[in-house]
Amino acid sequence: MRRPGPALRVALLGVTATLTGFALFAGWLGFHAYAHDRARDGATARATGVVVEDGLGGSEDVRVRWKDRTGREHVQRFEIYDTDRYAKGRRFPVAYDPDETDPRGFPGDPEETATEDDLSVPVLLAGVTTAGLCSVWARRGLRFRRAARRPSRPMTATVHCAPQTLSETLWLRLVEAGASDRPAVWQRIMWHPALDELRGPVEVSAHHRAGSRAAVVVRLPDGTRLVPLGRRRHVAPRRVSLDEYAVVRTTLKDSFTPVDAAALSARPWWWPCVQVTASGFVGGAAVGAFFIGESLVASVGMALCAATLLAALWALSSPRP
């Protein structure tokens, strides 16, 4: 069985990370949303509390003191929408389950659904985000297949690279073969190991539609087809510093000691994705804990969301191992 190429492996990793990560994210929030709804349905008793503090956090929550039917006092934080109505010193209706030993309070106003929305809306957004990220990969695949069927013409290509946040972008500068005075076109591509062996300009076959800005599929002399990203350009990309890829790679390889080179070659190609995902998980957990709310639900939810997004963006950036 033929192994998938580098571009397909990255695409499969990106799609898998997106589907798995957001499925865990939706499952985590969905489970707590279901548990919250069940608990609120059982809150049949009513009490009247007093707002002792308002304007808490970025969502301007309130802290309420209330008593259950046994006379036990509770001080609890509530998420609300109507912040003007429930100012400090105002009465606040509370619903709770009278059968619970230590009941949890819920806003007595059925219109106050801030907590429920904080659990359900992100699940919907995760679904939209998942569809969007997967559609990007589908579009890349369709663009590649369509462009590869078009007639080819000989061109001379030079590989250039530009640094970016998660990896580096690779660009091909293409000119008509034997006509260096002709205007060049630029095409962004996904990384392929065959690029590391190129030195200087190389004769290639370019599949594209003449007279349009459609993407160009470039076939190297060894038969390797490079996956294009976006449309071709007639001017060099702006706001980036472009260097010849082969020169940069040679300089980096020469700077490594043999031990470093062996370690890098033995490292799995997907290892940078693991590092990015772990960083996103830790960073997301910190954001959830300190900026959204000191709760396990927020911390784990933000950790799963951030880890999934960074892994998906890492794959979409077409990284070089």
Side-chain angles (χ1 to χ4, degrees):
M1 181 177 179
R2 184 180 179 183
R3 295 182 59 189
L8 182 57
R9 288 201 300 266
V10 172
L12 292 175
L13 177 62
V15 172
T16 302
T18 301
L19 294 176
T20 304
F22 280 125
L24 292 174
F25 174 77
W28 174 258
L29 294 186
F31 170 78
H32 286 89
Y34 173 76
H36 183 275
D37 290 343
R38 289 288 302 271
R40 185 159 188 170
D41 290 341
T44 57
R46 294 292 184 272
T48 301
V50 177
V51 178
V52 297
E53 193 175 358
D54 60 10
L56 300 175
S59 56
E60 299 186 358
D61 298 344
V62 295
R63 184 169 282 111
V64 177
R65 180 183 291 110
W66 60 280
K67 293 182 180 181
D68 57 31
R69 63 177 54 182
T70 65
R72 183 176 180 180
E73 187 176 83
H74 305 266
V75 177
Q76 185 177 336
R77 180 170 174 169
F78 292 90
E79 296 180 52
I80 59 171
Y81 285 130
D82 197 348
T83 56
D84 295 332
R85 178 181 179 185
Y86 299 114
K88 183 177 180 179
R90 298 284 185 87
R91 293 183 177 182
F92 187 90
V94 178
Y96 66 96
D97 188 345
D99 297 328
E100 292 288 338
T101 304
D102 185 15
R104 172 190 176 188
F106 299 89
D109 185 354
E111 299 297 324
E112 291 292 351
T113 58
T115 301
E116 292 90 328
D117 294 344
D118 286 346
L119 293 171
S120 59
V121 172
V123 175
L124 298 178
L125 294 178
V128 174
T129 304
T130 300
L133 292 173
C134 292
S135 67
V136 173
W137 285 115
R139 184 181 179 186
R140 287 183 179 181
L142 290 174
R143 182 195 294 123
F144 172 73
R145 294 182 64 88
R146 290 179 58 185
R149 294 193 181 103
R150 292 171 181 150
S152 65
R153 58 195 306 178
M155 300 190 80
T156 301
T158 307
V159 187
H160 295 261
C161 65
Q164 63 177 11
T165 304
L166 296 178
S167 60
E168 63 182 12
T169 58
L170 297 180
W171 294 83
L172 288 179
R173 183 180 183 273
L174 300 165
V175 296
E176 295 288 345
S180 57
D181 56 335
R182 295 283 186 87
V185 296
W186 295 82
Q187 176 65 61
R188 187 185 171 198
I189 57 172
M190 294 186 69
W191 176 85
H192 194 284
L195 296 173
D196 294 347
E197 306 302 325
L198 300 182
R199 296 292 182 271
V202 60
E203 299 296 324
V204 299
S205 297
H207 299 259
H208 65 97
R209 186 171 56 197
S212 71
R213 296 184 59 190
V216 181
V217 171
V218 172
R219 187 188 298 270
L220 299 179
D222 63 357
T224 300
R225 294 184 302 178
L226 303 176
V227 179
L229 302 178
R231 297 181 177 183
R232 61 174 173 172
R233 302 187 183 189
H234 294 286
V235 294
R238 300 173 181 175
R239 301 176 184 175
V240 294
S241 177
L242 292 173
D243 298 308
E244 283 199 33
Y245 181 70
V247 175
V248 174
R249 290 288 290 173
T250 301
T251 303
L252 289 176
K253 287 181 178 179
D254 293 342
S255 65
F256 292 138
T257 63
V259 175
D260 293 331
L264 286 174
S265 63
R267 187 184 65 180
W269 65 270
W270 42 261
W271 181 246
C273 183
V274 175
Q275 294 176 310
V276 169
T277 303
S279 300
F281 191 89
V282 174
V287 171
F290 295 105
F291 294 98
I292 297 180
E294 297 179 2
S295 69
L296 183 63
V297 177
S299 297
V300 175
M302 280 300 300
L304 290 173
C305 181
T308 303
L309 276 177
L310 284 183
L313 293 176
W314 177 88
L316 283 174
S317 68
S318 307
R320 184 194 70 206

